[in-house]
Amino acid sequence: MSDSSPTSPLLGTMDKLRKQLSGEGDDEKGLVTQIADGATLSWSTRIKGFAICFILGVALSFLGTFLLFTHNGLTVFAVCYTFGNLLALGSTCFLMGPVNQLKRMFKETRIIATIVMLICLALTLCAVFWWNNKGLAILFCILQFLAMAWYSLSYIPFARDAVKKCFAGCLG
């Protein structure tokens, strides 16, 4: 029987699939593996990316604060502050990767702080651009700051407990 039978190409394809799934086909990398290998950053590149995004995020937040007292200052402040927070938050994607970042953001210990923070980011922009309500914009910026601080404290062991005890002691 010759190799030109209709089942021969099918058997070859099935054999390749079996090798890939069993890990025997290491000499031929799949498309996803090739893309992942090409997108991998060295540790020094990750640190540089983190530092640049974090510094730009903090700088944007401070710039917005300084521009608060100019013409249309509240709008500029809200936009700069919100995008500064997004940049600072996104900077950690360089350290742990975007998928791990999202998994950690939505862990049980952080999910409420994450959701409040993301909602406040969106509501700050809504208050400035659609509702044109300065009071709400400032309130959402304050809530944004508090949610970001609470979210950040969740990465430091026992930090949230220490803050709770401190406030309990101060309030009586």
Side-chain angles (χ1 to χ4, degrees):
M1 190 171 211
S2 69
D3 281 342
S4 63
S5 70
T7 58
S8 191
L10 181 61
L11 288 175
T13 304
M14 293 302 288
D15 190 44
K16 286 181 184 178
L17 180 62
R18 182 188 58 78
K19 285 182 180 179
Q20 285 294 325
L21 292 175
S22 67
E24 295 173 21
D26 289 339
D27 55 337
E28 293 181 20
K29 290 184 177 180
L31 179 63
V32 174
T33 306
Q34 290 174 359
I35 291 172
D37 287 346
T40 303
L41 301 174
S42 69
W43 185 246
S44 66
T45 304
R46 287 174 182 235
I47 294 294
K48 290 173 189 171
F50 164 76
I52 290 169
C53 281
F54 187 78
I55 290 169
L56 283 174
V58 171
L60 258 178
S61 295
F62 278 120
L63 177 67
T65 304
F66 292 128
L67 295 175
L68 182 61
F69 302 105
T70 64
H71 180 66
N72 289 333
L74 184 63
T75 303
V76 173
F77 164 72
V79 170
C80 287
Y81 189 76
T82 300
F83 284 108
N85 278 341
L86 283 172
L87 263 175
L89 179 66
S91 68
T92 55
C93 287
F94 282 100
L95 297 178
M96 63 182 86
V99 174
N100 280 337
Q101 171 73 11
L102 288 173
K103 284 180 183 177
R104 289 183 181 186
M105 283 176 70
F106 290 97
K107 273 188 171 180
E108 185 180 333
T109 57
R110 292 183 194 98
I111 192 163
I112 293 172
T114 299
I115 291 171
V116 169
M117 178 181 53
L118 294 174
I119 288 172
C120 286
L121 290 168
L123 289 176
T124 300
L125 296 176
C126 288
V128 168
F129 290 117
W130 287 287
W131 305 327
N132 202 21
N133 189 326
K134 295 177 181 183
L136 275 180
I138 290 175
L139 174 68
F140 291 137
C141 282
I142 292 169
L143 291 175
Q144 195 181 129
F145 172 79
L146 293 173
M148 185 73 127
W150 194 250
Y151 167 82
S152 299
L153 286 173
S154 73
Y155 284 96
I156 303 168
F158 306 109
R160 284 179 167 182
D161 292 334
V163 170
K164 286 178 188 176
K165 287 179 183 177
C166 180
F167 275 103
C170 290
L171 297 176

